[in-house]
Amino acid sequence: MEDPRAFLAQFPDGAVIDEVQRVPDLLSYLQGAIDDDPTPGRWILSGSQNLALIASVSQSLAGRTALHQLLPLSWNEVNRFANCPATLEEAILSGGYPRIFDRELDPSDWLRSYVGTYIERDVRAISNVGDLNAFQRFLGLCAGRTGQLLNYSSLADDCGISQPSAKSWFSILEASFVAFHLPVFGGKVRKRLIKMPKLHFNDSGLACWLLGIRDPEQLVSHPLRGALFETWVVSELLKRRTHRGKTGGLSYYRERGGAELDLVVDDSSGLTLIEAKSATTPSSSLFDSARRVRRQLDDMGMHSEVAVVYGGDESRRNSDGSRLVPWHQVHDQPPDAVDAAEAASGDIVSDASNDAPSRVP
């Protein structure tokens, strides 16, 4: 901050600068270094906030950057650690923050420290939140609504804050990659659909910690087991797309008449309808909601595939083409050309990962 030119001169070949949002003035000096040597990839800037929202990035580095969002580890990345979860409950409880697996830490211990430092440091840096206790209460209320409709009025009433404050505080959660909103599916049925988005956490382990869940056994009969599993599935599909540089294309379906579906993936190959069911026993009834939505979309000329991701281990393809997918194979859904190429070559293509949560290099 005191001598930015001398600081940058230490790195003639470039460097990785972490938490760059703390020194926004540095970026105007970095612009000069990049203009002098525009070789791509010399500088990697990372931070725990959405750098696309920081004015100095767009002002100083416009046209000189490529932005990548790196969310917590995906399930197939977690699987590469020796201490990876063995059960669905362990997977949901552990989440995907890298340090937990890299250092073989107890998720509850690490998440306790993370929440404390997040509220004390990142929240203050992003926005001038006066009442941190109220914000922590708001964070816990959001965890209790993961997988449910994002109703700002209800959140505000339960937290004792105004509705504008609830909207502003949720935008903080989104900017710091703690939570996100899943929009409702559009298409030709917009008039019949619920308009509210759904609330999901980027990391199921963090949601569990905020709900007071400390042991995998608690999840077996917990009243929010289904919602937490849905969040885990949706966040896995979000990671899959985000780490491959894809944006958008994810929504949920819910009609006023009752038809509902957890996730709609809209890709170049068409629509994939995905239902998340935490039940461990295969049953034809698991497909009821997805098939109902598929029939309605087919009637409107929108062809779709159906997959149910459930808490069991058996994989199955039905006569109508719908698929039953075990939870530990969630990263294979929906299949696309990239997956087919990887399977044919036998190579494993890594998702982008990071050594700290919610980075945006």
Side-chain angles (χ1 to χ4, degrees), residues 90-112:
E90 290 175 0
I92 295 175
L93 186 67
S94 298
Y97 286 113
R99 189 170 294 272
I100 292 173
F101 302 98
D102 184 50
R103 301 294 178 87
E104 299 188 0
L105 303 176
D106 180 272
S108 294
D109 292 341
W110 188 87
L111 288 165
R112 181 186 303 110

Side-chain angles (χ1 to χ4, degrees), residues 37 76 177 201 231 311 320:
D37 183 356
N76 56 335
F177 301 95
F201 267 59
T231 280
D320 63 355

Side-chain angles (χ1 to χ4, degrees), residues 3 32 69-70 80 107 131 146 158-159 174 202 205 249 268 293 305 325 343 355 359:
D3 194 352
Q69 293 184 357
L70 298 183
R80 298 171 191 173
D131 191 341
T146 192
D158 289 351
C159 193
E174 290 194 294
N202 286 96
S268 56
V293 173
E305 303 290 337
V325 182
D355 61 357
R359 297 295 189 190

